[in-house]
Amino acid sequence: MTLLRAQDVTKRFGGVTALAGVSLGVEEGEVLGLIGPNGSGKTTFFNVVSGLVRPDSGSVTLDGQELTRLPPHRIARLGVARTFQISRPLAGLAVSENLLPSLHFGAERPREVRRRAGELLELVGLADKATWPAADLTTWELRRLELARALGVGRRLLLLDEIFAGLAPGDVDRTIELVRRIRDLTGVTVILIEHVMRATMALCDRVVVLAHGVVVTIGPPTDVVRHPEVLDVYLGTREVPDAEG
């Protein structure tokens, strides 16, 4: 079943066309990768889906409901959440307290919020650091906290913006397994923007390639990385990467 559908989405900023008639569908429970060179329109697409910007034309629907005229908080109420490239925790609060705003917003019953916070921290492997100040977390731990905070709202769709950036190779592998576990246990659908091709190849069911605001190709990762235009425009090489590098 198609959960999210974008149809002919166009967005211009002055004389720059960030998205030019983008159409794609995301199946329920899928992990969809969104890749492309800098300036290709990936973040603009996330901003349109989450309601931060309105497209000039086209539509985005979630399970048939139009999103493009809704404000961000209304879209979040429908179970859509995102992470950002730079983690900004509530540094002066404990790790568990960082989850409370999203859980309260996500319409948890007040008496169940702290129990749910504990469950999410257990899911992302931060239960032993629940009382730590968020400022004391490592980069990888902050990424896991971001995932937990997003899950407090995003019961249906998670938009993950470069969660692998800056991670050591071992942490990339552990994050791949974490996202898989989250998808398998919660059934949440995931769209991720990513430049770490090893993660994209290993994790995504399908990949969408954008260039200059246009969809170049959509398909399984092993097919996408062999597409001639992808090799030239995005990867900049005729060498085909694999899940190991």
XYZ file of all heavy atoms in Angstrom, residues 72-147:
603
model
N 3.086 22.705 9.627
C 3.918 21.602 10.130
C 3.322 20.859 11.317
O 3.416 19.628 11.390
C 5.228 22.301 10.508
C 5.295 23.491 9.606
C 3.868 23.945 9.457
N 2.702 21.581 12.268
C 2.200 20.883 13.451
C 1.034 19.958 13.108
O 0.854 18.915 13.742
C 1.796 21.886 14.549
C 0.553 22.663 14.273
N 0.550 23.797 13.481
C -0.733 22.462 14.668
C -0.684 24.271 13.422
N -1.472 23.491 14.121
N 0.245 20.314 12.086
C -0.858 19.446 11.678
C -0.315 18.179 10.993
O -0.868 17.089 11.172
C -1.793 20.204 10.733
C -2.597 21.306 11.384
C -3.811 20.742 12.106
N -4.654 19.956 11.214
C -5.532 20.484 10.354
N -5.672 21.813 10.259
N -6.266 19.696 9.602
N 0.740 18.348 10.210
C 1.360 17.193 9.559
C 1.985 16.281 10.600
O 1.869 15.051 10.533
C 2.391 17.663 8.522
C 1.679 18.402 7.383
C 3.202 16.486 7.979
C 2.604 19.038 6.372
N 2.642 16.878 11.599
C 3.225 16.077 12.678
C 2.143 15.294 13.416
O 2.348 14.137 13.803
C 3.998 16.965 13.644
N 0.968 15.893 13.599
C -0.131 15.208 14.277
C -0.582 13.960 13.515
O -1.153 13.038 14.106
C -1.329 16.147 14.426
C -1.158 17.256 15.427
C -1.372 16.752 16.832
N -1.346 17.841 17.797
C -1.087 17.692 19.075
N -0.829 16.479 19.544
N -1.077 18.709 19.902
N -0.310 13.939 12.215
C -0.673 12.783 11.402
C 0.363 11.664 11.498
O 0.198 10.613 10.879
C -0.848 13.196 9.944
C -1.997 14.174 9.663
C -1.976 14.620 8.204
C -3.345 13.551 10.019
N 1.438 11.900 12.280
C 2.438 10.863 12.481
C 3.665 10.992 11.618
O 4.361 9.999 11.371
N 3.970 12.222 11.161
C 5.148 12.475 10.334
C 6.167 13.242 11.172
O 5.849 14.279 11.757
C 4.795 13.294 9.080
C 6.057 13.576 8.253
C 3.752 12.571 8.239
N 7.396 12.747 11.250
C 8.447 13.430 12.010
C 9.748 13.361 11.230
O 9.923 12.494 10.373
C 8.618 12.806 13.390
N 10.658 14.260 11.551
C 11.941 14.283 10.850
C 13.071 14.570 11.816
O 12.863 15.135 12.893
C 11.940 15.320 9.727
C 11.896 16.754 10.192
C 11.947 17.730 9.042
N 13.229 17.746 8.355
C 13.534 18.569 7.357
N 12.616 19.429 6.915
N 14.709 18.529 6.795
N 14.248 14.153 11.411
C 15.469 14.561 12.086
C 16.199 15.543 11.171
O 15.892 15.650 9.979
C 16.384 13.362 12.383
O 16.830 12.786 11.144
C 15.644 12.301 13.194
N 17.172 16.249 11.749
C 17.935 17.224 10.985
C 19.416 16.849 10.994
O 19.855 16.038 11.820
C 17.735 18.628 11.562
C 16.341 19.161 11.369
C 15.332 18.838 12.257
C 16.026 19.953 10.279
C 14.037 19.307 12.086
C 14.729 20.428 10.087
C 13.739 20.108 10.994
N 20.168 17.440 10.074
C 21.575 17.093 9.931
C 22.365 17.393 11.202
O 23.285 16.661 11.553
C 22.176 17.853 8.753
C 21.612 17.447 7.407
C 22.207 18.262 6.264
O 23.305 18.794 6.376
N 21.481 18.366 5.171
N 22.028 18.472 11.889
C 22.736 18.863 13.110
C 21.830 18.583 14.304
O 20.724 19.116 14.391
C 23.133 20.346 13.071
C 24.064 20.612 11.872
C 23.817 20.761 14.372
C 24.405 22.074 11.679
N 22.296 17.734 15.218
C 21.514 17.404 16.397
C 21.530 18.578 17.367
O 22.595 19.110 17.693
C 22.079 16.153 17.084
O 22.035 15.040 16.227
N 20.370 18.968 17.832
C 20.260 20.055 18.807
C 19.409 19.579 19.986
O 18.224 19.879 20.067
C 19.641 21.300 18.172
C 20.578 22.006 17.195
C 20.031 23.363 16.791
N 20.978 24.111 16.011
C 21.049 24.109 14.686
N 20.199 23.358 14.010
N 21.948 24.832 14.050
N 20.023 18.817 20.895
C 19.267 18.347 22.053
C 19.014 19.484 23.032
O 19.612 20.562 22.935
C 20.203 17.305 22.668
C 21.576 17.825 22.335
C 21.440 18.423 20.943
N 18.117 19.234 23.973
C 17.935 20.147 25.101
C 19.063 19.823 26.072
O 18.936 18.997 26.978
C 16.562 19.932 25.726
C 15.383 20.137 24.758
C 14.077 19.685 25.392
C 15.302 21.588 24.319
N 20.209 20.484 25.841
C 21.472 20.066 26.448
C 21.448 20.096 27.969
O 22.130 19.295 28.629
C 22.614 20.938 25.921
N 20.674 20.990 28.555
C 20.650 21.103 30.002
C 19.740 20.103 30.683
O 19.698 20.048 31.922
N 19.012 19.308 29.899
C 18.081 18.333 30.462
C 18.640 16.921 30.334
O 19.528 16.652 29.517
C 16.729 18.405 29.741
C 15.964 19.727 29.848
C 14.638 19.605 29.110
C 15.744 20.125 31.301
N 18.095 16.023 31.138
C 18.496 14.628 31.048
C 18.029 14.028 29.723
O 17.116 14.545 29.071
C 17.897 13.840 32.211
N 18.667 12.933 29.330
C 18.322 12.263 28.081
C 16.830 11.912 28.044
O 16.139 12.174 27.053
C 19.196 11.002 27.904
C 18.677 10.136 26.760
C 20.654 11.390 27.655
N 16.316 11.332 29.114
C 14.893 10.955 29.123
C 13.990 12.174 29.022
O 12.924 12.118 28.376
C 14.558 10.163 30.387
O 14.784 10.947 31.546
N 14.386 13.291 29.625
C 13.572 14.501 29.577
C 13.517 15.096 28.178
O 12.562 15.805 27.847
C 14.104 15.527 30.573
C 13.917 15.108 32.024
C 14.607 16.025 33.007
O 15.664 16.596 32.648
O 14.111 16.164 34.135
N 14.518 14.788 27.348
C 14.510 15.260 25.968
C 13.371 14.655 25.159
O 12.986 15.213 24.130
C 15.847 14.947 25.292
C 16.853 16.065 25.413
O 17.075 16.824 24.476
N 17.457 16.201 26.589
N 12.832 13.535 25.607
C 11.752 12.889 24.870
C 10.378 13.423 25.235
O 9.410 13.216 24.493
C 11.768 11.379 25.122
C 13.029 10.605 24.763
C 12.790 9.120 24.940
C 13.478 10.896 23.351
N 10.275 14.100 26.371
C 8.956 14.472 26.872
C 8.183 15.409 25.940
O 6.979 15.205 25.738
C 9.084 15.084 28.266
C 9.716 14.166 29.326
C 9.687 14.836 30.693
C 9.019 12.810 29.376
N 8.812 16.450 25.352
C 8.020 17.317 24.459
C 7.393 16.565 23.298
O 6.210 16.761 22.993
C 9.043 18.356 23.979
C 10.075 18.405 25.062
C 10.185 16.987 25.546
N 8.167 15.696 22.639
C 7.610 14.982 21.484
C 6.541 13.991 21.919
O 5.527 13.808 21.237
C 8.714 14.269 20.697
O 9.352 13.279 21.476
N 6.714 13.362 23.068
C 5.722 12.401 23.527
C 4.427 13.084 23.940
O 3.331 12.590 23.660
C 6.281 11.584 24.690
C 7.337 10.545 24.291
C 8.000 9.956 25.529
C 6.728 9.440 23.444
N 4.524 14.227 24.599
C 3.317 14.975 24.934
C 2.616 15.464 23.661
O 1.396 15.381 23.545
C 3.653 16.155 25.845
C 3.828 15.777 27.280
N 2.776 15.353 28.064
C 4.932 15.750 28.074
C 3.225 15.079 29.287
N 4.524 15.310 29.317
N 3.418 15.957 22.707
C 2.833 16.402 21.440
C 2.210 15.244 20.701
O 1.188 15.390 20.018
C 3.896 17.072 20.567
C 3.358 17.591 19.261
C 2.754 18.827 19.198
C 3.446 16.838 18.106
C 2.243 19.319 18.000
C 2.943 17.311 16.899
C 2.340 18.557 16.857
N 2.834 14.072 20.804
C 2.331 12.898 20.113
C 1.095 12.296 20.753
O 0.727 11.165 20.429
N 0.468 13.038 21.677
C -0.825 12.678 22.254
C -0.750 11.451 23.144
O -1.732 10.727 23.297
C -1.871 12.483 21.161
N 0.421 11.207 23.759
C 0.488 10.161 24.767
C -0.322 10.591 25.993
O -0.371 11.771 26.326
C 1.955 9.913 25.180
C 2.808 9.273 24.096
C 2.557 7.787 23.951
O 1.815 7.221 24.793
O 3.091 7.200 23.005
N -0.960 9.634 26.649
C -1.619 9.943 27.905
C -0.565 10.376 28.918
O 0.482 9.732 29.040
C -2.378 8.722 28.420
C -3.524 8.298 27.519
C -4.189 7.042 28.041
N -5.278 6.625 27.160
C -5.970 5.515 27.326
N -5.687 4.707 28.339
N -6.935 5.208 26.488
N -0.810 11.456 29.667
C 0.219 12.002 30.564
C 0.858 10.968 31.476
O 2.076 10.955 31.652
C -0.550 13.067 31.358
C -1.618 13.513 30.425
C -2.033 12.273 29.667
N 0.065 10.047 32.035
C 0.634 9.102 32.970
C 1.475 8.027 32.279
O 2.176 7.260 32.957
C -0.463 8.457 33.816
C -1.459 7.624 33.045
C -2.385 6.890 34.016
N -3.409 6.140 33.308
C -4.662 6.521 33.198
N -5.056 7.656 33.744
N -5.548 5.781 32.555
N 1.375 7.952 30.954
C 2.125 6.939 30.217
C 3.376 7.495 29.540
O 4.146 6.738 28.961
C 1.226 6.289 29.164
C 0.048 5.526 29.740
C -0.795 4.864 28.670
O -0.489 5.067 27.478
O -1.742 4.153 29.020
N 3.570 8.811 29.630
C 4.654 9.437 28.892
C 6.012 8.917 29.343
O 6.864 8.562 28.521
C 4.581 10.971 29.020
C 5.899 11.614 28.617
C 3.459 11.509 28.131
N 6.247 8.866 30.631
C 7.571 8.431 31.116
C 7.803 6.948 30.832
O 8.933 6.546 30.542
C 7.727 8.747 32.597
C 7.832 10.253 32.850
C 8.283 10.588 34.249
N 8.392 12.027 34.404
C 9.474 12.745 34.100
N 10.539 12.136 33.623
N 9.495 14.051 34.270
N 6.750 6.139 30.891
C 6.909 4.738 30.515
C 7.291 4.619 29.045
O 8.196 3.852 28.684
C 5.610 3.977 30.778
C 5.662 2.510 30.292
C 4.300 1.846 30.362
N 3.313 2.541 29.565
C 3.223 2.415 28.231
N 4.086 1.665 27.559
N 2.286 3.071 27.571
N 6.612 5.387 28.201
C 6.912 5.356 26.772
C 8.311 5.874 26.497
O 9.016 5.346 25.632
C 5.870 6.199 26.025
C 6.085 6.315 24.533
C 5.984 4.987 23.831
N 6.065 5.170 22.392
C 6.442 4.227 21.542
N 6.764 3.027 21.990
N 6.484 4.466 20.258
N 8.752 6.901 27.235
C 10.121 7.402 27.083
C 11.132 6.301 27.378
O 12.121 6.129 26.650
C 10.348 8.597 28.002
N 10.872 5.523 28.421
C 11.767 4.416 28.747
C 11.799 3.368 27.647
O 12.861 2.820 27.326
N 10.651 3.086 27.052
C 10.597 2.110 25.966
C 11.392 2.577 24.754
O 12.112 1.780 24.125
C 9.146 1.870 25.569
C 8.325 1.132 26.614
C 6.860 1.021 26.244
O 6.444 1.645 25.237
O 6.139 0.291 26.945
N 11.273 3.854 24.434
C 12.004 4.373 23.278
C 13.506 4.385 23.526
O 14.298 4.075 22.626
C 11.509 5.777 22.926
C 10.110 5.857 22.309
C 9.682 7.305 22.117
C 10.066 5.112 20.968
N 13.909 4.745 24.729
C 15.339 4.728 25.046
C 15.881 3.302 25.006
O 17.018 3.075 24.576
C 15.593 5.358 26.410
C 15.359 6.865 26.498
C 15.610 7.365 27.913
C 16.242 7.627 25.508
N 15.077 2.346 25.431
C 15.473 0.941 25.335
C 15.629 0.540 23.876
O 16.590 -0.149 23.490
C 14.434 0.060 26.015
C 14.816 -1.405 26.108
C 15.930 -1.645 27.125
O 15.963 -0.969 28.167
O 16.779 -2.533 26.846
N 14.715 0.971 23.038
C 14.742 0.632 21.619
C 16.005 1.136 20.942
O 16.606 0.434 20.124
C 13.507 1.202 20.920
C 13.385 0.996 19.407
C 13.339 -0.484 19.058
C 12.154 1.712 18.863
N 16.428 2.357 21.274
C 17.602 2.941 20.605
C 18.894 2.703 21.373
O 19.960 3.185 20.976
C 17.413 4.455 20.354
C 16.187 4.707 19.499
C 17.351 5.236 21.660
N 18.823 1.964 22.466
C 20.033 1.619 23.198
C 20.577 2.700 24.102
O 21.790 2.749 24.363
N 19.707 3.548 24.627
C 20.147 4.627 25.520
C 19.540 4.518 26.916
O 19.623 5.465 27.700
C 19.793 5.998 24.929
C 20.598 6.463 23.721
C 20.064 7.806 23.222
C 22.086 6.582 24.055
N 18.936 3.379 27.239
C 18.269 3.243 28.532
C 19.240 3.447 29.691
O 18.872 4.015 30.729
C 17.596 1.875 28.638
N 20.492 3.019 29.519
C 21.465 3.155 30.603
C 21.953 4.588 30.780
O 22.660 4.892 31.747
C 22.649 2.222 30.368
C 23.397 2.518 29.070
O 22.772 3.091 28.144
O 24.587 2.184 28.979
N 21.576 5.470 29.851
C 21.994 6.873 29.936
C 20.794 7.801 30.128
O 20.880 9.001 29.862
C 22.786 7.266 28.688
C 24.126 6.530 28.582
C 24.898 6.954 27.352
C 26.328 6.398 27.397
N 26.370 4.934 27.456
N 19.690 7.267 30.587
C 18.459 8.046 30.714
C 18.624 9.269 31.599
O 18.017 10.316 31.346
C 17.335 7.166 31.255
N 19.442 9.176 32.629
C 19.595 10.291 33.565
C 20.793 11.177 33.247
O 21.027 12.167 33.935
C 19.740 9.762 35.005
O 20.899 8.928 35.095
C 18.505 8.968 35.405
N 21.541 10.832 32.215
C 22.697 11.650 31.835
C 22.224 12.984 31.257
O 21.182 13.046 30.587
C 23.501 10.952 30.755
C 24.369 9.834 31.213
C 24.124 8.954 32.227
C 25.626 9.442 30.634
N 25.138 8.038 32.320
C 26.079 8.317 31.357
C 26.397 9.924 29.579
C 27.279 7.672 31.061
C 27.577 9.283 29.274
C 28.028 8.183 30.008
N 23.011 14.058 31.448
C 22.734 15.288 30.692
C 22.921 15.023 29.204
O 23.896 14.373 28.800
C 23.773 16.276 31.219
C 24.240 15.709 32.518
C 24.140 14.216 32.385
N 22.005 15.481 28.382
C 22.118 15.254 26.941
C 23.406 15.839 26.384
O 23.938 15.349 25.382
C 20.916 15.846 26.222
N 23.939 16.883 27.027
C 25.180 17.513 26.565
C 26.371 16.566 26.641
O 27.394 16.807 25.986
C 25.467 18.766 27.381
N 26.264 15.491 27.417
C 27.390 14.574 27.600
C 27.397 13.425 26.599
O 28.288 12.576 26.646
C 27.372 13.990 29.018
C 27.682 15.030 30.085
O 28.156 16.126 29.716
O 27.441 14.740 31.270
N 26.441 13.379 25.688
C 26.362 12.275 24.737
C 27.369 12.442 23.601
O 27.707 13.552 23.197
C 24.953 12.182 24.148
C 23.813 11.868 25.119
C 22.497 11.758 24.358
C 24.079 10.597 25.910
N 27.818 11.319 23.057
C 28.675 11.335 21.879
C 27.832 11.601 20.629
O 26.592 11.604 20.674
C 29.388 9.983 21.708
O 28.400 8.974 21.420
C 30.157 9.598 22.970
N 28.508 11.791 19.501
C 27.794 12.037 18.246
C 26.834 10.905 17.923
O 25.667 11.132 17.565
C 28.783 12.217 17.082
O 29.601 13.354 17.335
C 28.043 12.430 15.762
N 27.295 9.660 18.065
C 26.429 8.529 17.741
C 25.269 8.444 18.724
O 24.132 8.145 18.346
C 27.227 7.227 17.745
C 26.408 6.053 17.283
C 25.592 6.010 16.176
C 26.291 4.782 17.913
N 24.997 4.775 16.080
C 25.410 3.996 17.119
C 26.868 4.214 19.037
C 25.088 2.688 17.440
C 26.543 2.900 19.360
C 25.660 2.153 18.570
N 25.525 8.720 19.990
C 24.442 8.712 20.969
C 23.423 9.811 20.698
O 22.218 9.617 20.870
C 25.024 8.834 22.378
C 25.774 7.587 22.820
C 26.618 7.816 24.059
O 26.881 8.996 24.404
O 27.032 6.820 24.678
N 23.896 10.972 20.240
C 22.966 12.049 19.884
C 22.086 11.649 18.713
O 20.895 11.999 18.667
C 23.745 13.323 19.552
C 24.331 14.090 20.731
C 25.242 15.219 20.245
C 23.219 14.661 21.620
N 22.641 10.922 17.749
C 21.825 10.467 16.623
C 20.731 9.510 17.103
O 19.597 9.542 16.625
C 22.697 9.778 15.572
C 23.713 10.701 14.928
C 23.061 11.764 14.044
N 23.997 12.802 13.714
C 24.980 12.698 12.826
N 25.144 11.561 12.176
N 25.786 13.707 12.598
N 21.087 8.666 18.048
C 20.086 7.738 18.588
C 19.017 8.495 19.377
O 17.829 8.142 19.324
C 20.764 6.680 19.452
C 21.523 5.642 18.636
C 22.085 4.568 19.512
N 23.331 4.983 20.140
C 23.894 4.373 21.180
N 23.270 3.340 21.746
N 25.037 4.785 21.676
N 19.426 9.525 20.096
C 18.450 10.352 20.805
C 17.519 11.042 19.820
O 16.303 11.126 20.054
C 19.172 11.381 21.674
C 18.273 12.358 22.444
C 17.316 11.623 23.366
C 19.132 13.357 23.230
N 18.067 11.532 18.699
C 17.229 12.156 17.678
C 16.192 11.171 17.134
O 15.029 11.519 16.915
C 18.104 12.671 16.529
C 18.815 13.975 16.807
C 17.844 15.136 16.874
O 17.216 15.459 15.858
O 17.703 15.705 17.969
N 16.617 9.926 16.920
C 15.682 8.906 16.443
C 14.572 8.674 17.468
O 13.389 8.569 17.107
C 16.426 7.604 16.173
C 17.205 7.518 14.868
C 18.092 6.277 14.856
C 16.251 7.472 13.676
